[in-house]
């Protein structure tokens, strides 16, 4: 990992207590980094820990272990919460635009709220900033006088994005920002996010279960399974030659034309299999029960994310698999 990364996550773990005295392992020893201006995609099936990771990055939840450092300073740890001043540099867009906006406030008040909380500029300057923000996301200044219920889902998500941009963050965490929208609207929001990122130069962590969306938007991808990152790679490399059997399973399940890479289509039926019990995790690789390539060590020892001894030392690909690079 690079110490000069904008966002640096080390050993992030989150467990939740259960009534029977057992522990629910939602996130297990996750480490990653995001460089300034980079867009990192986080993908995986529902229940793999993506949204938990997003909340921990923002300091909306407290980790059981591990740290999150942002702009060179520790941001989150089991004993430390996010300083109020630091929150201006990282913002979040949530999945559901219908519940993330206060229905009792006018849109202008919602977009202006971060500026009011952090006392940015004079009142007249904040009002002008709201108008500019509304226009920057494809809405009019007059829309600031309306209430959220007067807008469609796609328009509400634009409002949420405008609010997130009010403080000019260096990093935006977007948690499934288009999954609650109609397919016809999704591309508009994705294009808006791309335009904003290119215009502002900010970095982005884009969380999604949809690999095709991530391919469209992200430069690099981290694949999660059962609370762990099992593979990271540049986007095109991941799609051209997926290294982890689970990544191959995800790609095989995509509804698309036949790929020139045969290996991508292996094991599509495994994509609908059930996940292991988080309260009773397997002793070895969590994907072993679904993997047709498994060997004895897979069921006994959990693999560690890293470059294989047989892989190219210049490669940006990291894999948690005992069999890599034999499967590549």
């Amino acid at each position: 990992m690079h110490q000069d990364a904008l966002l640096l996550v080390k050993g992030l773990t989150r467990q939740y207590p259960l009534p029977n005295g057992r522990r629910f392992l939602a996130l297990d020893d996750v480490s990653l980094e995001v460089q300034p201006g980079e867009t990192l995609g986080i993908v995986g099936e529902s229940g793999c820990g993506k949204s938990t990771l997003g909340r921990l990055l923002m300091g909306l939840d407290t980790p059981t272990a591990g740290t999150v450092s942002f702009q060179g300073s520790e941001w989150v740890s089991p004993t430390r919460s996010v300083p109020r001043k630091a929150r201006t540099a990282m913002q979040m867009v949530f999945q559901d635009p219908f519940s993330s906006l206060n229905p009792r406030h006018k849109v202008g008040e919602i977009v202006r709220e971060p500026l009011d909380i952090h006392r940015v500029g004079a009142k007249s300057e904040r009002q002008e900033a709201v108008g500019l923000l509304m226009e920057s996301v494809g809405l009019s200044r007059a829309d600031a006088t309306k209430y959220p219920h007067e807008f469609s889902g796609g328009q509400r998500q634009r409002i949420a994005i405008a609010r997130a941009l009010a403080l000019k963050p260096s990093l935006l965490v977007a948690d499934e920002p288009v999954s609650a929208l109609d397919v016809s609207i999704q591309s508009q929001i994705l294009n808006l996010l791309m335009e904003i990122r290119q215009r502002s130069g900010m970095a982005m962590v884009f969380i999604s279960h949809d690999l095709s969306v991530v391919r469209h938007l992200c430069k690099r991808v981290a694949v999660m399974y059962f609370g762990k990152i099992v593979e990271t790679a540049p986007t095109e490399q991941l799609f051209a030659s997926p290294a982890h059997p689970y990544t191959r399973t995800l790609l095989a399940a995509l509804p698309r034309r036949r790929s020139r890479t045969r290996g991508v289509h292996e094991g599509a039926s495994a994509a609908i299999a059930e996940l292991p019990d988080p309260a009773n995790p397997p002793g070895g690789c969590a994907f072993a029960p679904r993997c047709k390539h498994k060997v004895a060590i897979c069921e006994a020892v959990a693999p560690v994310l890293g470059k294989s001894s047989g892989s190219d030392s210049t490669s940006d690909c990291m894999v948690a698999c005992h069999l890599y690079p034999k499967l590549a």
Side-chain angles (χ1 to χ4, degrees):
M1 286 193 169
H2 302 91
Q3 296 300 320
D4 58 348
L6 178 69
L7 181 73
L8 190 61
V9 179
K10 293 184 178 180
L12 208 58
T13 300
R14 185 60 169 109
Q15 294 181 336
Y16 296 97
L18 296 175
N20 58 9
R22 299 165 73 185
R23 309 285 290 182
F24 178 93
L25 185 60
L27 209 65
D28 186 9
D29 195 25
V30 168
S31 296
L32 57 83
E33 63 182 48
V34 179
Q35 298 299 321
E38 181 184 27
T39 302
L40 172 68
I42 307 290
V43 300
E45 295 169 286
S46 296
C48 73
K50 304 187 302 296
S51 292
T52 299
L53 175 59
R55 290 178 61 81
L56 288 171
L57 294 182
M58 288 298 302
L60 300 177
D61 195 1
T62 303
T64 307
T67 61
V68 178
S69 296
F70 182 63
Q71 294 180 326
S73 300
E74 188 177 279
W75 172 277
V76 174
S77 74
T79 58
R80 178 182 174 85
S81 59
V82 182
R84 179 176 173 178
K85 291 183 179 180
R87 288 185 181 274
T88 61
M90 187 193 290
Q91 294 292 308
M92 189 169 190
V93 176
F94 297 90
Q95 177 177 357
D96 186 0
F98 296 92
S99 62
S100 63
L101 304 179
N102 191 328
R104 298 181 180 181
H105 290 179
K106 291 182 179 180
V107 165
E109 296 171 327
I110 292 172
V111 175
R112 196 183 65 240
E113 184 178 20
L115 301 174
D116 291 339
I117 292 174
H118 294 277
R119 301 177 182 178
V120 178
K123 187 174 181 180
S124 59
E125 293 174 328
R126 297 174 199 169
Q127 202 60 37
E128 174 61 19
V130 169
L132 294 173
L133 285 164
M134 296 292 286
E135 292 175 344
S136 73
V137 296
L139 297 173
S140 70
R141 290 176 179 248
D143 287 330
T145 62
K146 300 177 182 178
Y147 288 91
H149 73 266
E150 300 180 67
F151 296 89
S152 66
Q155 290 172 322
R156 293 189 198 193
Q157 198 62 295
R158 289 175 184 268
I159 294 167
I161 292 171
R163 177 179 59 186
L165 296 176
L167 296 173
K168 299 179 181 179
S170 301
L171 177 66
L172 182 68
V173 178
D175 184 10
E176 299 270 14
V178 299
S179 62
L181 305 177
D182 293 338
V183 175
S184 59
I185 305 298
Q186 290 183 4
S187 61
Q188 297 177 20
I189 300 300
L190 291 173
N191 288 334
L192 174 63
L193 288 172
M194 289 181 65
E195 291 170 8
I196 291 171
R197 195 207 66 76
Q198 292 170 357
R199 185 168 65 239
S200 66
M202 70 177 179
M204 187 184 304
V205 174
F206 188 88
I207 299 170
S208 178
H209 66 278
D210 191 335
L211 269 167
S212 59
V213 169
V214 168
R215 185 177 194 179
H216 179 66
L217 192 67
C218 301
K219 177 182 178 181
R220 193 162 55 91
V221 181
V223 181
M224 289 190 67
Y225 182 77
F226 199 65
K228 286 179 173 287
I229 291 179
V230 297
E231 181 172 1
T232 64
T235 303
E236 290 309 313
Q237 179 180 341
L238 186 96
F239 276 79
S241 55
H244 197 280
Y246 175 62
T247 308
R248 296 186 176 200
T249 297
L250 285 180
L251 291 172
L254 286 177
R256 60 178 185 174
R257 297 188 300 271
R258 182 175 179 84
S259 170
R260 287 174 292 180
T261 307
R262 294 182 180 179
V264 169
H265 292 272
E266 296 177 1
S269 61
I272 60 173
E274 292 185 2
L275 292 170
D277 180 4
N280 187 28
C285 175
F287 189 66
R290 300 168 65 178
C291 182
K292 68 177 184 179
H293 302 288
K294 65 182 177 184
V295 293
I297 191 175
C298 299
E299 296 180 312
V301 179
V304 177
L305 184 70
K307 294 180 180 179
S308 168
S309 59
S311 64
D312 184 354
S313 61
T314 64
S315 173
D316 291 328
C317 180
M318 304 272 288
V319 186
C321 180
H322 293 299
L323 301 178
Y324 183 80
K326 293 180 180 179
L327 293 178

